[in-house]
Amino acid sequence: MAGRSDAPGEMFDVVVIGAGPAGASAARAAARAGVTVCMLERAELPRYKTCGGGLVGLAVDHAGIDLSGLVHASIDQLTVSLDGRLARTRRRPGRPMLSMVMRSEFDRALVHSACAAGAGLRTGVHVTGLREVTGPATGPGGPDSNEVQAVREAREARESRGSTEIRGSTEIRQTRDGCVVVTVRGGREIRARVVVGADGASGRTGAHVGVRCDQVDVGLEGEFPVSAPTARRWGGRMLLDWGPVPGSYAWLFPKSEVLTVGVIGSRADGDALRSYYGDLVRRLGLGSVTPLHDSGHLTRVRAAGSPLRRGRVLVAGDAAGLLDPWTREGISFALRSGRLAGEAAARAAVGDLSALAEYPRRIEAVLGPEMDAGRKLQAVYAHHPGLLHALLTCMPGTFGLFGRIVDGRTTVARQLRRPGVRAVTGALAR
C-alpha cells in the first residue's frame, strides 16, 4: 500500500496532502474519476489519532467502506448529566445512535479503499511548502520562477471586498496550463495539476489557502483499559456531561474493554478544562488507571466566508475548519468535504477549471447550513446548559429528536428552520 520513489519532479493529476478521513475520501473520489492520485502522509500508518471515534449517522453513510469489522460498540443508550449531577439514562432500542471505532483502524480502512480505487500512498512525507506555477506542467524543467502574481493580486482584491469567489475568467486563462509544486523535506519536489489539502487543523495547506477560524477549542482525551465488569456496565451506553465551563462538555465512549473519556471547550479556558477533565476521570473511577493514550488537540472552526481554495489548492476537513461548532464532530464533515474536493480536483485536472470555483459553493450549500445551525446552538448552550439538560431528560419527544439528529435522519439546521424553534433559539442566544 505504501511506497516511495526517488524519481525527480514527478507529476500527478491530483496530490492529496493528509491521509485521514478527508484525505482518503478525496483520494478515493479522484481516483474513481480516472485521474492519477498520490496521497502524502506525514506519519507512518496506522497511527494514533486523538478523537472520540464516535461515528454519527452521516459519517456511517459517507464512509463508503464495510464497517462490520471496525465497530467496537453500537450505542443505543445515553446517560446525560449536568457537571456530574442529575444523571439520567435513556435507551433507544432497535436503532443505534452511534458506532464506536478506533481511529487508527478506521483511517487505515479508508486509506485501503482509496488505494483500491487506484490512488497511491506515500507515508513519512513532510510537506514543507506549496507554490503555483504557470506554463506547461512537464516536470523538473518547468517554469518554477513564473509565479501566478496576477492570480494572487486578483484573489487579494476579492478578499479585500469580502468576496468568497476566487476565480474569474482572467485567472482561468492564466492558470489553464499551470500546476502546483509541492516541496517535501529531504526529497524532490512533486507536481500536481491540483492539490487537495487535508492535513488537519494545524497543517500547512490551511495557512497557504488563508483559512480563517473564529472558534478554537481544546480537547483533552484518554483511552482507559477497564475490567470486564466495567466494560459490561458501559456496554452499548455512552455518557454526555454538560460541563461547568461555558460551552464545554465531556464524553465517555465505550469500545469493548477500552473507555474513551474526554472533554472539550474553548482554548481560552484551558486551565479550567484540565481541572474538569481530572475531576471527570476521578468521578468515573478511573483515576488510578494508566491510560493507553492521554493527549490533547485543538479544533478550529472556519469563520463564515473564509476561503476554501487558493488557485489550484483546495482544502477539506479540519484543514478547512469544517466541523460542527457545537459538538465539534468532524468525521462526517471530513468525509463529505473530502469527496467534494476529490471530485472537483479530478474535473479540474482534466481541464474543467470551473470545478475549482464551484467547490467552495458546493461546500457552502452542503455543509454551510449545518455549521450555521451549530453556531446558533452553541451560543444557546454556552448560556443555558441546564436548559438543554432539562429538555433532553424531561420534555417528551426531545430525546427521540436528539437520536434522530445523531443518526442522521434529521439535522439541527432542519429543526431550526421551524419558525417557533428559530424564534426561541434566537432569543436564548442573546
Side-chain angles (χ1 to χ4, degrees):
M1 183 173 68
R4 289 188 176 86
S5 171
D6 294 325
E10 292 172 287
M11 181 73 194
F12 296 93
D13 291 322
V14 177
V15 162
V16 179
I17 301 175
S25 180
R28 183 175 61 193
R32 285 176 175 172
V35 300
T36 60
V37 182
C38 182
M39 286 181 285
L40 305 178
E41 167 58 42
R42 183 170 180 171
E44 299 292 343
L45 300 179
R47 49 93 171 96
Y48 175 74
K49 172 72 173 179
T50 303
C51 176
L55 300 184
V56 299
L58 284 170
V60 172
D61 293 343
H62 290 271
I65 56 176
D66 180 7
L67 295 171
S68 59
L70 301 174
V71 174
H72 289 259
S74 296
I75 302 301
D76 62 3
Q77 297 178 72
L78 169 64
T79 296
V80 291
S81 57
L82 183 63
D83 192 18
R85 300 173 288 110
L86 305 174
R88 184 168 180 181
T89 299
R90 302 288 297 272
R91 188 166 185 267
R92 188 167 176 261
R95 188 181 178 101
M97 288 182 286
L98 282 178
S99 297
M100 296 298 174
V101 298
M102 294 294 190
R103 276 293 303 275
S104 58
E105 299 170 355
F106 179 69
D107 290 9
R108 179 170 56 183
L110 289 172
V111 168
H112 272 293
S113 74
C115 292
L121 170 67
R122 299 181 188 181
T123 59
V125 178
H126 182 183
V127 173
T128 58
L130 304 167
R131 72 180 186 276
E132 188 167 336
V133 299
T134 57
T138 56
D144 289 3
S145 61
N146 190 7
E147 304 291 344
V148 283
Q149 182 64 29
V151 176
R152 185 180 302 110
E153 291 173 356
R155 183 186 66 255
E156 291 173 350
R158 292 186 187 91
E159 291 175 348
S160 69
R161 298 194 299 267
S163 172
T164 59
E165 174 61 41
I166 302 298
R167 179 175 293 278
S169 60
T170 301
E171 285 184 67
I172 291 176
R173 290 195 302 271
Q174 291 170 333
T175 62
R176 187 173 299 280
D177 294 323
C179 71
V180 180
V181 178
V182 181
T183 56
V184 302
R185 179 175 297 171
R188 295 185 179 275
E189 295 174 340
I190 300 170
R191 292 169 178 258
R193 300 187 187 281
V194 183
V195 166
V196 175
D199 49 347
S202 301
R204 187 168 295 274
T205 58
H208 174 83
V209 168
V211 175
R212 301 186 306 275
C213 296
D214 58 6
Q215 178 181 326
V216 182
D217 296 301
V218 60
L220 306 172
E221 183 180 85
E223 292 191 339
F224 296 86
V226 295
S227 64
T230 299
R232 284 195 296 271
R233 181 160 60 90
W234 286 103
R237 178 167 65 101
M238 68 177 181
L239 167 71
L240 294 178
D241 181 74
W242 317 122
V245 182
S248 71
Y249 77 96
W251 62 89
L252 181 154
F253 291 165
K255 301 169 185 175
S256 301
E257 294 189 353
V258 173
L259 301 181
T260 299
V261 177
V263 304
I264 197 164
S266 173
R267 180 175 61 175
D269 297 317
D271 290 341
L273 289 170
R274 280 187 285 273
S275 296
Y276 178 31
Y277 177 65
D279 291 343
L280 174 71
V281 169
R282 288 187 291 272
R283 187 191 310 151
L284 293 170
L286 301 172
S288 61
V289 179
T290 300
L292 302 173
H293 299 280
D294 193 7
S295 60
H297 70 288
L298 294 178
T299 64
R300 295 180 169 90
V301 179
R302 172 181 180 258
S306 174
L308 294 166
R309 165 187 164 241
R310 176 179 173 180
R312 291 174 177 263
V313 180
L314 312 176
V315 285
D318 286 348
L322 298 172
L323 66 157
D324 186 292
W326 176 46
T327 65
R328 288 78 157 186
E329 188 276 323
I331 296 177
S332 72
F333 287 77
L335 292 168
R336 289 177 288 169
S337 62
R339 177 179 60 80
L340 292 174
E343 291 171 349
R347 287 174 53 198
V350 296
D352 183 5
L353 295 182
S354 67
L356 299 174
E358 290 173 11
Y359 171 69
R361 293 195 288 267
R362 295 188 71 189
I363 290 293
E364 294 287 2
V366 174
L367 302 181
E370 294 179 38
M371 294 188 68
D372 290 343
R375 286 189 183 90
K376 293 172 183 175
L377 192 54
Q378 173 67 351
V380 171
Y381 171 64
H383 289 92
H384 307 283
L387 175 61
L388 177 64
H389 184 72
L391 289 173
L392 273 177
T393 57
C394 301
M395 184 173 179
T398 307
F399 176 78
L401 174 60
F402 181 77
R404 292 194 298 276
I405 290 172
V406 174
D407 72 22
R409 285 188 289 167
T410 188
T411 64
V412 173
R414 192 175 303 159
Q415 297 304 312
L416 290 184
R417 286 197 290 269
R418 298 166 61 183
V421 175
R422 185 169 62 245
V424 170
T425 302
L428 291 172
R430 289 195 289 268

